[in-house]
């Protein structure tokens, strides 16, 4: 079967730099731009073939978005195997649900939402949600991180990846979708299943926490006369 | 300025490494799409193929609903499904003690004709639950089961999947049709797999699923089963949980239990901590800490944590845990639930020799109501119980005419194919097996592995273990001298521990009997003491239609 678009990952990296810079506004032009971009890249015939159960068309469809979906899943789950599992589950869900896809959102948005909800389910199922305060005899045994150099802990906390993982999943998803994947608040709201205002709130909170890490690590710019630039 | 910082942050996140898509990802996805196609076809065909439930079953269901609704009106209570936000606290009077809470949990898990949910099993390390296997399941009170599971990297708790992380399996047992079907999808190619005969075969799973299909002569009999690799063999951990909750209530372990109010995922729950009394006399472990978390609104279990001994050459204590999510009792079972279609490119295998799959193990269905016919057919007179707990009814009887007792290759696990008769009784989701065998000889010896030699005691016909595992099992064994029946005066050995299906075994030098399933130790003894042979069974024995 001939596919109507090139199969392969979306352009890696640089997405944030390429986007327009109206992130602080609701219903940004980015929403319109992304929606139009997705629609133009995925031919309706391919989606139609995938809806009818054509495996080649479906795998081509998900392959097109795979790089972005993989980034979202990995930043949510933080584990390569869990990411692989979640993506497999999400893609199967999408395949099963595709005949019922009504096209009320862009197909890419719909796929992102499936990946997002699947990752949340994985987080729940792997016990990463708060557990009941169950204390067994093992609680009295030495913890694995006992005796660890506090400096290591501080260094770890300064790491962006660690700090990103420390965010609540909802905030993590919001900042990844908006700042890393370059989506607008409207589209991100559709993916997360929340209002745009909620997206803005989550992104703001996440940015505030993450910038604490980035800012001190930024080397001060030095002007030609040797003084620190403003 | 603010936007520049957003861009900088976005670029920094994008610069973080993300694992690339591996070469097999799309191949695996293609297989799963085939499975999805097959399941969709099965679901569509199931509605047409599956015969409607008999009128009495439908009537029973209707009566249950009516009775429940009437009870709700009379008691002024509201009925709600579990695991939903609308659940209202107060299913029955508020329990005050640990025993009352656990009794209400037993009632809640036995309510209705179906039970579904997700069970997670694994180990607890550094206070954190590490999931070994995650299984979705649906049970019907006719004995049908469907499970869907996945192995994780953490291992611990699964039949096969714990050794093959990322592998998935689906298994269904259609009890009325007596058909069991498994679909395994292994995550790793070229995986060496050892079957029960000690042979090693290399399977290439990268481009095909493995189907283990089996037309059962009778329901798989856990009472005589060895660890067989089937996720259906032990009727799901929920059965063991129910049996152990029952034992906690009756054995006095709750006398020192503490009950705390906690909140789990925003839902009020009870946390019960106690120490299950050690019935045996061996030193490991002296007693077993048990923690149980029960949802206040639904009375359904959420967490069950207990201490066991790691079945390894160097024994050490380990905390194991079962966790249940989205348990729903009494929901409708959709057509096709217990039917599994084979994906187009799957490799179909024949049975246990191919990968520890389900097997008849030589068992055949027999009409047990005619004891003389049974005795004539199998050439000896087994013993049958005159008493089983109220509500249980005989749902199947099977026999095996084979009379050998052989070690199975290098594994030294004797095959349970001695001449045996096995009866299965059901009461909702509770199952009791009573099995009689001609083989009374115990098997002892040594087992060598990796330069170590372990003394083995294989005299428990239910679970053949060696080394530390056997010592642990012995520590959980309670001995009672039976006072009546063909085994009067003999010592009955009783094991009630979450690690195995609760069971009793007794031998008199000529026959061995096991009683196993969802019973307290006292009830197992009572069943064993009610055993009768031949003509004696006819009058007082529970009939298949009871």
């Amino acid at each position: 079967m001939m596919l109507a678009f090139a199969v392969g990952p979306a352009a890696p990296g640089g997405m944030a730099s390429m986007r327009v810079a109206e992130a602080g506004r609701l219903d940004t032009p980015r929403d319109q731009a992304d929606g139009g971009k997705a629609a133009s890249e995925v031919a309706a015939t391919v989606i139609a073939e995938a809806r009818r159960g054509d495996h080649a068309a479906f795998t081509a469809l998900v392959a097109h978005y795979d790089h972005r979906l993989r980034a979202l899943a990995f930043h949510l789950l933080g584990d390569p195997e869990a990411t692989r599992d979640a993506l497999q589950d999400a893609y199967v869900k999408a395949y099963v649900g595709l005949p019922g896809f009504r096209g009320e959102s862009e197909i890419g948005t719909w796929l992102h939402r499936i990946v997002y909800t699947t990752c949340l389910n994985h987080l729940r199922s792997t016990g990463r949600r708060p557990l009941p305060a169950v204390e067994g005899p093992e609680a009295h045994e030495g913890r694995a991180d006992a005796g660890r150099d506090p400096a290591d802990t501080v260094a770890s906390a300064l790491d962006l990846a660690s700090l990103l993982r420390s965010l609540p999943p909802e905030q993590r998803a919001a900042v990844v979708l908006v700042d890393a994947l370059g989506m607008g608040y409207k589209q991100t709201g559709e993916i997360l299943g929340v209002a745009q205002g909620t997206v803005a709130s989550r992104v703001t909170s996440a940015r505030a926490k993450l910038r604490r890490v980035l800012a001190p690590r930024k080397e001060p710019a030095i002007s030609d006369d040797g003084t620190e630039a403003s | 300025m603010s936007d520049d910082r957003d861009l900088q942050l976005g670029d920094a996140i994008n610069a973080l490494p993300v694992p690339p898509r591996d070469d097999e990802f799309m191949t695996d996805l293609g297989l799963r799409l085939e499975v999805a196609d097959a399941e969709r076809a099965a679901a569509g065909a199931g509605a047409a193929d599956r015969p409607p439930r008999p009128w009495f079953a439908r009537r029973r269901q209707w009566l249950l609903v009516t009775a429940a609704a009437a009870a709700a009106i009379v008691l002024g209570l509201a009925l709600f499904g579990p695991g939903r936000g609308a659940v209202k606290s107060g299913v029955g009077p508020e329990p005050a003690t640990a025993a009352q809470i656990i009794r209400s949990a037993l009632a809640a898990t036995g309510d209705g004709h179906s039970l579904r949910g997700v069970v997670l099993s694994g180990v607890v390390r550094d206070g954190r639950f590490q999931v070994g296997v995650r299984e979705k399941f649906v049970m019907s009170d006719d004995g049908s089961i469907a499970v869907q599971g996945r192995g994780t990297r953490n291992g611990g708790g699964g039949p096969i999947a714990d050794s093959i992380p990322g592998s998935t399996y689906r298994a269904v047992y259609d009890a009325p049709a007596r058909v069991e079907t498994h679909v395994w999808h292994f995550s790793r190619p070229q995986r060496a797999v050892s079957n029960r005969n000690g042979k090693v075969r290399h399977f290439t799973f990268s481009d095909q699923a493995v189907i283990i299909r089996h037309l059962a002569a009778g329901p798989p009999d856990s009472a005589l089963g060895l660890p067989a690799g089937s996720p259906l063999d032990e009727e799901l951990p929920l059965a063991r949980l129910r049996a152990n909750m029952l034992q906690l209530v009756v054995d006095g372990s709750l006398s020192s239990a503490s009950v705390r109010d906690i909140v789990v995922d925003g839902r009020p729950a009870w946390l019960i901590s106690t120490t299950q009394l050690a019935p045996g006399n061996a030193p490991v472990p002296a007693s077993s800490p048990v923690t149980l978390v029960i949802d206040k609104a639904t009375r359904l279990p959420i967490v069950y944590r207990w201490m066991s001994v790691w079945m390894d050459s160097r024994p050490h204590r380990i905390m194991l845990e079962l966790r249940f999510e989205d348990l729903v009792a009494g929901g409708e079972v959709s057509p096709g639930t217990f039917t599994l279609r084979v994906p187009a490119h799957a490799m179909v295998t024949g049975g246990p020799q191919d990968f520890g799959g389900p097997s008849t193990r030589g068992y055949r269905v027999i009409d047990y109501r005619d004891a003389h016919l049974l005795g004539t057919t199998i050439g000896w007179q087994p013993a049958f119980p005159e008493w089983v707990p109220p509500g249980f009814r005989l749902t199947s009887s099977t026999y095996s005419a084979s009379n050998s007792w052989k070690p199975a290759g290098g594994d030294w696990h004797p095959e349970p194919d001695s001449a045996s008769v096995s009866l299965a009784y059901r009461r909702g989701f509770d199952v009791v097996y009573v099995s009689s065998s001609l083989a009374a000889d115990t098997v002892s010896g040594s087992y060598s592995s990796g330069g170590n030699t372990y003394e083995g005691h294989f005299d428990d016909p239910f679970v053949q273990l060696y080394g530390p595992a056997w010592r642990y099992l012995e520590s959980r064994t309670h001995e009672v001298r039976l006072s009546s029946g063909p085994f009067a005066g003999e010592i009955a050995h009783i094991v009630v521990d979450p690690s195995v299906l609760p069971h009793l075994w007794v031998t008199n030098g000529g026959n061995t009997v096991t009683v196993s399933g969802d019973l307290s130790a006292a009830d197992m003894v009572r069943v064993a003491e009610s055993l009768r042979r031949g003509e004696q069974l006819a009058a007082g024995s529970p009939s298949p239609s009871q």
Side-chain angles (χ1 to χ4, degrees):
Chain A
M1 173 192 153
M2 291 296 292
L3 299 176
F5 63 92
V7 176
M15 284 175 278
S17 298
M18 291 162 59
R19 71 180 184 235
V20 292
E22 285 86 3
R25 287 168 33 197
L26 301 184
D27 197 12
T28 65
R30 222 187 307 164
D31 284 314
Q32 299 156 18
D34 281 350
K37 180 181 169 186
S40 66
E41 288 184 350
V42 181
T45 53
V46 174
I47 299 175
E49 292 283 345
R51 285 169 69 110
R52 283 195 287 271
D54 187 304
H55 291 187
F58 180 77
T59 53
L61 173 64
V62 295
H64 178 72
Y65 293 99
D66 183 71
H67 181 81
R68 298 160 69 88
L69 298 170
R70 190 169 295 273
L72 174 63
F74 182 70
H75 289 313
L76 278 170
L77 299 172
D79 178 86
E81 286 185 33
T83 299
R84 190 184 197 279
D85 288 349
L87 287 176
Q88 288 270 334
D89 287 350
Y91 292 172
V92 172
K93 282 183 195 172
Y95 175 75
V96 172
L98 193 54
F101 173 65
R102 296 188 297 273
E104 293 172 355
S105 64
E106 297 297 339
I107 189 80
T109 305
W110 183 70
L111 288 171
H112 277 82
R113 170 143 183 83
I114 292 175
V115 168
Y116 171 67
T117 55
T118 304
C119 288
L120 288 189
N121 288 336
H122 272 248
L123 286 172
R124 293 192 190 102
S125 68
T126 52
R128 295 180 193 181
R129 59 183 170 182
L131 300 178
V134 178
E135 184 172 288
E138 76 287 349
H140 303 291
E141 298 171 2
R143 299 291 179 132
D145 57 356
R148 190 179 177 190
D149 187 344
D152 291 341
T153 307
V154 174
S156 174
L158 288 175
D159 179 71
L160 176 63
S162 297
L163 198 58
L164 188 61
R165 282 197 291 272
S166 74
L167 295 176
E170 295 80 7
Q171 287 185 18
R172 217 180 315 159
V175 76
V176 166
L177 289 168
V178 172
D179 283 339
L181 300 183
M183 292 183 178
Y185 287 174
K186 180 173 181 293
Q187 190 178 14
T188 300
E190 290 174 2
I191 292 169
L192 304 184
V194 298
Q196 295 181 56
T198 306
V199 173
S201 170
R202 290 178 182 176
V203 169
T204 301
S205 299
R207 283 173 179 163
K209 294 169 186 170
L210 296 176
R211 280 174 184 156
R212 288 188 211 126
V213 177
L214 290 180
R217 299 178 72 189
K218 185 179 177 183
E219 293 296 331
I222 306 297
S223 62
D224 290 340
D225 61 2
T227 60
E228 185 173 333
S230 59
Chain B
M1 182 64 188
S2 173
D3 287 336
D4 289 342
R5 294 171 67 194
D6 297 342
L7 294 172
Q8 184 190 47
L9 177 59
D11 286 340
I13 294 174
N14 277 328
L16 294 173
V18 173
R21 190 173 71 210
D22 60 73
D23 294 340
E24 295 168 4
F25 184 87
M26 284 303 182
T27 303
D28 289 348
L29 178 62
L31 281 171
R32 293 194 60 181
L33 297 185
E34 281 194 25
V35 172
D37 284 341
E39 289 172 353
R40 190 153 46 190
D49 296 346
R50 194 175 174 89
R53 292 173 69 89
W55 69 270
F56 51 84
R58 281 182 271 130
R59 180 167 175 263
R60 178 168 175 264
Q61 176 186 336
W62 183 83
L63 286 173
L64 278 173
V65 171
T66 305
I73 293 169
V74 170
L75 297 175
L77 302 177
L79 297 178
F80 296 94
R84 299 290 179 268
V87 172
K88 191 174 178 179
S89 182
V91 183
E94 182 82 359
T97 66
Q100 289 172 343
I101 293 169
I102 293 177
R103 283 189 191 281
S104 71
L106 284 166
T109 51
D111 187 23
H113 63 88
S114 71
L115 192 63
R116 71 179 67 236
V118 177
V119 58
L120 300 94
S121 57
V123 301
V124 181
R125 292 196 177 97
D126 296 324
R128 289 195 54 180
F129 177 46
Q130 298 183 353
V131 181
V133 170
R134 182 178 195 272
E135 283 185 338
K136 285 184 183 176
F137 69 89
V138 181
M139 305 169 68
S140 169
D141 63 356
D142 67 2
S144 297
I145 304 175
V147 301
Q148 176 178 343
R150 169 195 302 280
T152 74
R153 63 187 178 141
N154 295 318
I160 291 177
D162 65 343
S163 62
I164 309 178
S167 299
T168 60
Y169 54 87
R170 289 178 62 85
V172 298
Y173 178 62
D174 187 334
R178 298 183 189 281
V179 174
E180 182 170 338
T181 308
H182 296 201
V183 176
W184 298 82
H185 176 213
F186 296 96
S187 60
R188 293 177 183 169
Q190 301 290 336
R191 177 87 184 176
V193 179
S194 173
N195 69 12
R196 208 168 23 261
N197 278 341
K199 298 175 183 174
V200 175
R201 289 183 60 183
H202 293 269
F203 296 88
T204 300
F205 298 128
S206 59
D207 58 356
Q208 58 193 336
V210 173
I211 311 302
I212 301 171
R213 168 168 277 182
H214 162 63
L215 184 63
D221 183 356
S222 298
L224 291 170
L226 292 172
S230 167
L232 302 180
D233 270 8
E234 294 190 354
E235 302 242 353
L236 298 169
L238 188 65
R240 285 179 284 154
L241 171 60
R242 283 176 53 79
N244 279 276
M245 288 198 298
L246 180 61
Q247 182 65 18
L248 282 172
V249 170
V250 301
D251 73 359
S253 294
L254 297 176
S255 59
S256 60
S258 68
V259 180
R260 276 195 289 148
D261 291 337
I262 63 170
V263 176
V264 181
D265 290 336
R267 298 173 61 82
W270 290 291
L271 187 150
I272 301 171
S273 299
T274 190
T275 299
Q276 186 147 30
L277 300 176
N281 51 12
V284 285
S287 56
S288 178
V290 171
T291 302
L292 184 58
V293 179
I294 293 174
D295 187 296
K296 279 191 175 184
T298 65
R299 309 287 164 83
L300 293 169
I302 303 172
V303 175
Y304 191 74
R305 183 181 287 189
W306 75 100
M307 177 174 284
S308 185
V309 171
W310 190 246
M311 308 296 191
D312 201 350
S313 58
R314 192 170 56 86
H316 57 278
R317 296 191 308 176
I318 187 170
M319 296 301 293
L320 301 176
E321 183 166 313
L322 295 174
R323 187 167 295 202
F324 297 92
E325 294 180 348
D326 304 324
L327 274 184
V328 176
E332 192 62 38
V333 178
S334 55
T337 297
F338 303 113
T339 306
L340 202 54
R341 292 287 174 93
V342 180
H345 298 102
M347 183 173 79
V348 178
T349 68
Q353 300 305 313
D354 292 305
F355 198 68
S359 166
T360 66
R361 299 184 186 171
Y363 279 85
R364 299 289 181 267
V365 176
I366 191 168
D367 188 346
Y368 133 86
R369 287 170 292 188
D370 189 333
H372 289 293
L373 175 61
L374 176 59
T376 303
T377 303
I378 66 174
W380 57 288
Q381 281 293 345
F384 300 99
E386 280 196 331
W387 182 88
V388 291
F392 279 95
R393 61 187 180 86
L394 183 66
T395 55
S396 78
S397 50
T398 56
Y399 79 100
S400 167
S402 173
N403 189 15
S404 62
W405 188 255
K406 57 188 179 186
D411 282 347
W412 251 95
H413 285 175
E415 288 285 357
D417 58 355
S418 55
S420 304
V421 174
S422 180
L423 310 175
Y425 300 85
R426 281 194 168 274
R427 182 182 62 190
F429 304 114
D430 292 333
V431 184
V432 170
Y433 298 101
V434 180
S435 300
S436 301
S437 171
L438 266 185
D441 294 338
T442 59
V443 181
S444 298
S446 61
Y447 169 82
S448 297
S449 174
N452 297 318
T453 299
Y454 311 111
E455 290 301 313
H457 294 260
F458 307 109
D459 47 2
D460 184 334
F462 195 96
V463 182
Q464 285 77 33
L465 297 169
Y466 54 86
W470 167 76
R471 286 202 297 274
Y472 171 71
L473 198 63
E474 185 188 50
S475 78
R476 308 300 300 166
T477 301
H478 177 208
E479 296 181 347
V480 169
R481 189 176 298 278
L482 299 182
S483 60
S484 62
F487 295 90
E490 303 292 348
I491 295 293
H493 309 264
I494 306 161
V495 183
V496 180
D497 184 86
S499 303
V500 296
L501 198 67
H503 63 280
L504 170 154
W505 64 276
V506 59
T507 182
N508 62 3
N511 299 115
T512 298
V513 163
T514 63
V515 179
S516 61
D518 302 298
L519 290 176
S520 67
D523 279 349
M524 282 190 272
V525 170
R526 188 170 174 188
V527 171
E529 290 184 330
S530 78
L531 292 169
R532 301 291 182 267
R533 290 189 195 283
E535 295 88 340
Q536 297 178 46
L537 83 95
S541 180
S543 72
S545 59
Q546 185 176 328

